[in-house]
Amino acid sequence: MSAVAILQSGRPDECLVNAEFPLTRKDLSDIAGMIYSDAGIALNETKASLVYSRLSKRLRQIGLGSFKQYCALVSSPEGFDERREMLSFLTTNFTRFFRENHHFQHLRDEVLPGLLTRANAGGRVRIWSAGCSDGQEPYSIALTLLDMAPNAASLDVRILATDIDPKIIAQAQVGIYDAQAIETVDPRMRKQWFTQTAEKRWQISDQVRKQVTFRELNLMALWPFRGPFDVIFCRNVVIYFDEATQNRVWARYADLLPPGGHLYIGHSERLSGEARDRFESTAVTIYRCKGRI
Ligand SMILES: C[S@@+](CC[C@H](N)C(=O)[O-])C[C@H]1O[C@@H](n2cnc3c(N)ncnc32)[C@H](O)[C@@H]1O
């Protein structure tokens, strides 16, 4: 449902969440319109409570008294920085090390052996984690890689990790996690690649961090690279987009992958649109690009 559709569904001044800061249909529609045009994220009326719970904290922090004032701020030129802040509050950053572990098993067993043969012969290998959140996904790729190729740093193998949220990218670069976050990392890898900080958290080693290049990147914007990528992970990201936006993103990935390149997507995502014919499914949520057709 678009921002316009939210408004068409009932009275603009109707209160959707009646709490400390009343959230009206018009407020939600304004916020949905901005987040859709900035990030491609589609919000509908079922997300009213979520928007309220995430942004009411922000209203309190900056001392505003209503969503109407907040909407006026973020849609004004003076509110440019706050609009980026709003994006950080509204994006969902949930992630896990080795989330959907069958993807990493497939990467290790079916994809990396061929790519490493090429890299060991002097070739180039590029992997992209798009929508990487706080780094657990690209670091899981790097750990899988280093486990198979301890010499990876001396090869032309790079992992690019991007996200729209600059705060989460800054966190990813530091690579410090709670004990709970690294529970899904194999104990052997944990011992080898993580060290405890003074605050009893866990930092991933420099060698793993050096394997990954983090960049802020909005998937809706121009991408400052032409590829090709051998592997793209874009998991649990497009689920927040509408179908037309998803289809555009899939087509852009197909343009960046050579024939035989792999795309890993989230468990509740499906390839759709014209790009669907440019991929063949090799396993659930794992696709191989057929190249240009
Ligand atoms: C739920 S997390 C998924 C993280 C990881 N891929 C995983 O599956 O564990 C979704 C990430 O997508 C990012 N995101 C949302 N919209 C985006 C956009 N338009 N461009 C780039 N990243 C975006 C969010 O900031 C968030 O970090």
Side-chain angles (χ1 to χ4, degrees):
M1 189 198 274
S2 68
V4 176
I6 291 178
L7 265 190
Q8 281 170 348
S9 68
R11 276 186 15 243
D13 61 351
E14 187 183 334
C15 196
L16 301 177
V17 180
N18 199 356
E20 184 185 354
F21 311 104
L23 177 75
T24 66
R25 180 168 287 117
K26 166 88 166 63
D27 298 331
L28 182 67
S29 164
D30 287 351
I31 292 165
M34 288 183 262
I35 199 87
Y36 183 74
S37 83
D38 292 354
I41 295 171
L43 294 175
N44 60 33
E45 253 184 63
T46 66
K47 298 287 191 298
S49 307
L50 177 105
V51 169
Y52 181 86
S53 73
R54 292 189 178 176
L55 288 183
S56 55
K57 283 192 210 104
R58 186 63 188 157
L59 265 68
R60 248 173 257 126
Q61 276 172 8
I62 59 175
L64 283 188
S66 72
F67 275 102
K68 191 173 174 195
Q69 286 174 346
Y70 190 68
C71 289
L73 171 67
V74 288
S75 50
S76 70
E78 301 74 53
F80 180 82
D81 290 342
E82 184 55 35
R83 186 143 163 178
R84 286 169 65 97
E85 201 64 46
M86 176 172 83
L87 193 65
S88 280
F89 273 78
L90 289 177
T91 45
T92 298
N93 300 124
F94 179 82
T95 185
R96 298 294 278 160
F97 276 103
F98 294 95
R99 183 180 195 181
E100 296 172 53
N101 193 32
H102 68 106
H103 286 164
F104 297 94
Q105 286 167 355
H106 182 272
L107 182 71
R108 187 192 62 213
D109 297 340
E110 309 291 335
V111 179
L112 281 178
L115 296 181
L116 286 171
T117 302
R118 187 207 299 163
N120 279 312
R124 169 188 185 277
V125 172
R126 293 292 180 271
I127 300 174
W128 181 16
S129 163
C132 65
S133 189
D134 68 4
Q136 298 187 44
E137 178 177 279
Y139 287 140
S140 301
I141 300 170
L143 290 170
T144 307
L145 170 72
L146 283 164
D147 212 36
M148 295 181 71
N151 64 335
S154 64
L155 304 175
D156 188 8
V157 180
R158 300 295 315 153
I159 300 162
L160 171 69
T162 63
D163 201 283
I164 194 171
D165 182 350
K167 285 189 174 168
I168 208 84
I169 284 290
Q171 231 174 287
Q173 278 166 326
V174 176
I176 297 182
Y177 302 95
D178 292 335
Q180 197 198 355
I182 63 165
E183 271 171 12
T184 49
V185 179
D186 178 88
R188 183 180 52 79
M189 286 185 179
R190 244 185 276 162
K191 198 161 169 235
Q192 187 175 2
W193 300 113
F194 288 84
T195 46
Q196 200 166 33
T197 67
E199 296 76 33
K200 302 244 176 299
R201 301 182 77 215
W202 294 89
Q203 181 158 37
I204 201 153
S205 79
D206 281 355
Q207 198 184 334
V208 185
R209 281 195 290 158
K210 280 186 190 142
Q211 215 55 58
V212 185
T213 304
F214 287 100
R215 291 276 178 272
E216 180 185 336
L217 179 76
N218 182 353
L219 290 173
M220 297 303 107
L222 282 175
W223 299 346
F225 41 71
R226 276 185 296 164
F229 287 95
D230 301 289
V231 176
I232 298 176
F233 275 67
C234 183
R235 308 182 313 154
N236 311 299
V237 179
V238 307
I239 191 174
Y240 302 104
F241 302 163
D242 60 17
E243 202 180 326
T245 309
Q246 291 187 8
N247 293 346
R248 279 198 299 278
V249 173
W250 299 142
R252 293 177 81 185
Y253 289 154
D255 287 340
L256 286 180
L257 287 162
H262 280 85
L263 174 64
Y264 295 85
I265 70 176
H267 61 96
S268 50
E269 296 162 338
R270 292 290 169 268
L271 283 196
S272 52
E274 286 175 16
R276 178 70 193 84
D277 293 338
R278 296 172 65 186
F279 290 93
E280 57 193 356
S281 169
T282 66
V284 181
T285 63
I286 305 176
Y287 294 88
R288 193 166 34 223
C289 191
K290 293 194 248 176
R292 294 213 161 267
I293 51 168

